[in-house]
Amino acid sequence: MIPLIEAELRKKDWISEEDMPDIVVLAQSAPGILAVNMAIYAGYKLRGIKGAIAATIGAVLPSFVIILLIAMVFTNFKDNPIVVKIFRGIRPVAVGLILIPAINMAKKGCKQWWTWLIMLASLLAVAFLKVSPIYIIIVCIVIPVCIYIINRNAKEAQGQK
């Protein structure tokens, strides 16, 4: 979804390339579906509250109707061996569709070596150590705040000498 949404928002010149990583992080941080959160942001940016409401309806309604229709039809075919094999084949495609935007975001967001290190450590912690992403987010907020406070106190201490 991310590359499709980004392409559409950029094509219509609703956001800049520099805004996209921030929008994705903000949309992922908020509760709810990423596409809906991004639509809310774009709608609000363009037309305020009315735009956010219209964008939300536009993002949710088509998917809701399609999923409802699929669910009504799928119940008759869910045990069909061909359908089961089709879904097994779709899984690797879904992984690839998630991996490509993640790599693109890493290229845009990781400008220094230490940001790459944080990204890789976070990936390994979530993937292999089963650490909850919320703990990683909290650590990535707390550590810079602590560093800032320590540096500020050190500068104040030097200023008093």
Side-chain angles (χ1 to χ4, degrees), residues 13-52:
D13 203 29
W14 289 343
I15 61 157
S16 67
E17 185 176 338
E18 294 80 32
D19 288 339
M20 192 61 198
D22 296 334
I23 293 167
V24 172
V25 168
L26 182 64
Q28 287 179 331
S29 300
I33 302 166
L34 177 76
V36 175
N37 292 344
M38 291 177 77
I40 291 169
Y41 176 86
Y44 185 79
K45 184 177 177 188
L46 293 171
R47 299 281 188 261
I49 296 293
K50 290 179 182 178

Side-chain angles (χ1 to χ4, degrees), residues 3-156:
L4 296 173
I5 294 169
E6 179 179 12
E8 197 64 29
L9 292 174
R10 299 267 302 122
K11 180 174 74 173
K12 295 188 183 205
D13 203 29
W14 289 343
I15 61 157
S16 67
E17 185 176 338
E18 294 80 32
D19 288 339
M20 192 61 198
D22 296 334
I23 293 167
V24 172
V25 168
L26 182 64
Q28 287 179 331
S29 300
I33 302 166
L34 177 76
V36 175
N37 292 344
M38 291 177 77
I40 291 169
Y41 176 86
Y44 185 79
K45 184 177 177 188
L46 293 171
R47 299 281 188 261
I49 296 293
K50 290 179 182 178
I53 292 169
T56 303
I57 292 169
V60 171
L61 193 59
S63 299
F64 176 76
V65 171
I66 290 169
I67 293 300
L68 184 62
L69 293 173
I70 289 172
M72 291 168 50
V73 173
F74 183 69
T75 55
N76 299 330
F77 300 104
K78 67 180 180 182
D79 295 325
N80 185 316
I82 295 172
V83 172
V84 171
K85 288 179 183 179
I86 288 171
F87 278 102
R88 278 195 201 132
I90 290 174
R91 286 182 191 153
V93 174
V95 171
L97 290 173
I98 293 168
L99 191 59
I100 296 300
I103 291 169
N104 290 337
M105 282 180 56
K107 286 179 184 176
K108 291 177 187 175
C110 297
K111 302 291 183 191
Q112 293 88 15
W113 67 268
W114 54 270
T115 56
W116 280 101
L117 185 65
I118 292 170
M119 187 267 306
L120 288 172
S122 300
L123 176 69
L124 294 173
V126 171
F128 298 109
L129 301 177
K130 307 297 185 213
V131 174
S132 172
I134 192 70
Y135 296 132
I136 294 171
I137 292 169
I138 290 169
V139 167
C140 288
I141 291 171
V142 170
I143 289 176
V145 169
C146 291
I147 291 171
Y148 171 78
I149 291 170
I150 290 167
N151 286 340
R152 186 187 66 192
N153 291 343
K155 287 181 184 178
E156 288 176 1

